[in-house]
Amino acid sequence: SAVISQKPSRDICQRGTSLTIQCQVDSQVTMMFWYRQQPGQSLTLIATANQGSEATYESGFVIDKFPISRPNLTFSTLTVSNMSPEDSSIYLCSVDRDRGITEAFFGQGTRLTVV
Amino acid sequence: QKEVEQDPGPLSVPEGAIVSLNCTYSNSAFQYFMWYRQYSRKGPELLMYTYSSGNKEDGRFTAQVDKSSKYISLFIRDSQPSDSATYLCAMSAPGNTGKLIFGQGTTLQVKP
């Protein structure tokens, strides 16, 4: 399995500010994904981040609110912009092992509270 | 209607019991089926992975897929307190995009 490190593990932020979450993988991967897990809810895909191209966003998520960078094959960042209390959630980075089948591994997540 | 339905529980069982966790789905194009275990304040951990209809066993865990009924199950034998966690089913979207669609998760508590 891939080792995925996320920073920060948790944060409390003021509304209107932005937070950038980092995801580091111990091996090169083509696909990286960002998910959101709201309290008591399941995981919802925010976007797919491939190196060398713009991130692909799912319905309901936009680049202005969740800009993503993917500078190389082992690293990605997700920014939560202009935060409101509704953004309080766990944000999870995930990678696929590039084996031609879907087998995703997750970081431990970033627990964000917006006050 | 959600693409993947999973009873959120909570489910409480005594130690040693057999646990059955289930998901139904609506999209017949789903190709791969996974079960994740998520401990409190941790990321999901991949437990089982299946592709075709039938059973797959790994230790105390058995994953079952019935594509004709659009129904998947995870069985845990001889359940242990350390199995207490949230169990999420997940399915891969068509097209090998890497996208996963998750069920809501079932919270399991195994009491000593």
Side-chain angles (χ1 to χ4, degrees), chain A residues 31 37 42 58 101-102 104, chain B residues 36 38 41 49 97 99 102-103:
Chain A
M31 293 184 180
Q37 188 174 27
S42 188
E58 297 300 304
I101 54 178
T102 300
Chain B
Y36 286 84
Q38 186 175 25
R41 301 183 182 276
Y49 176 103
T97 61
K99 298 178 187 177
F102 283 84

Side-chain angles (χ1 to χ4, degrees), chain B residues 86-98:
Chain B
T86 297
Y87 290 81
L88 298 142
C89 64
M91 304 178 191
S92 65
N96 196 28
T97 61

Side-chain angles (χ1 to χ4, degrees), chain A residues 10 31 33 35 37 40 42-43 45 58 92 100-108 111, chain B residues 32 34 36 38 41-44 46 49 88 92 96-100 102-105:
Chain A
R10 63 193 319 160
M31 293 184 180
F33 305 90
Y35 286 84
Q37 188 174 27
S42 188
L43 283 75
L45 181 64
E58 297 300 304
L92 292 146
I101 54 178
T102 300
E103 190 177 9
F105 297 92
F106 287 84
Q108 71 173 40
R111 184 177 294 269
Chain B
Y32 303 103
M34 285 139 280
Y36 286 84
Q38 186 175 25
R41 301 183 182 276
K42 299 288 186 182
L46 182 63
Y49 176 103
L88 298 142
S92 65
N96 196 28
T97 61
K99 298 178 187 177
L100 295 180
F102 283 84
Q104 190 174 349

Side-chain angles (χ1 to χ4, degrees), chain B residues 15 37 39 60-61 78-85 87 108 110:
Chain B
E15 183 175 354
R37 177 175 61 195
Y39 291 113
R60 295 185 295 111
F61 298 89
D78 186 25
S79 56
Q80 302 295 310
S82 58
D83 295 328
S84 298
Y87 290 81
L108 170 68
V110 181

Side-chain angles (χ1 to χ4, degrees), chain B residues 34-75:
Chain B
M34 285 139 280
W35 285 96
Y36 286 84
R37 177 175 61 195
Q38 186 175 25
Y39 291 113
S40 180
R41 301 183 182 276
K42 299 288 186 182
E45 168 195 11
L46 182 63
L47 267 182
M48 299 283 290
Y49 176 103
T50 54
Y51 172 71
S52 57
S53 285
N55 295 349
K56 182 177 181 180
E57 191 172 315
D58 184 1
R60 295 185 295 111
F61 298 89
T62 299
Q64 189 174 79
V65 173
D66 182 347
K67 286 189 172 182
S68 63
S69 301
K70 300 190 184 69
Y71 188 88
I72 70 169
S73 300
L74 178 71
F75 298 96

Side-chain angles (χ1 to χ4, degrees), chain A residues 46 54-55 57-58 61-68 78-79 81:
Chain A
I46 297 171
E54 294 287 328
Y57 289 83
E58 297 300 304
F61 298 97
V62 295
I63 187 171
D64 289 346
K65 177 66 175 178
F66 298 102
I68 287 170
L78 169 76
T79 299
S81 304

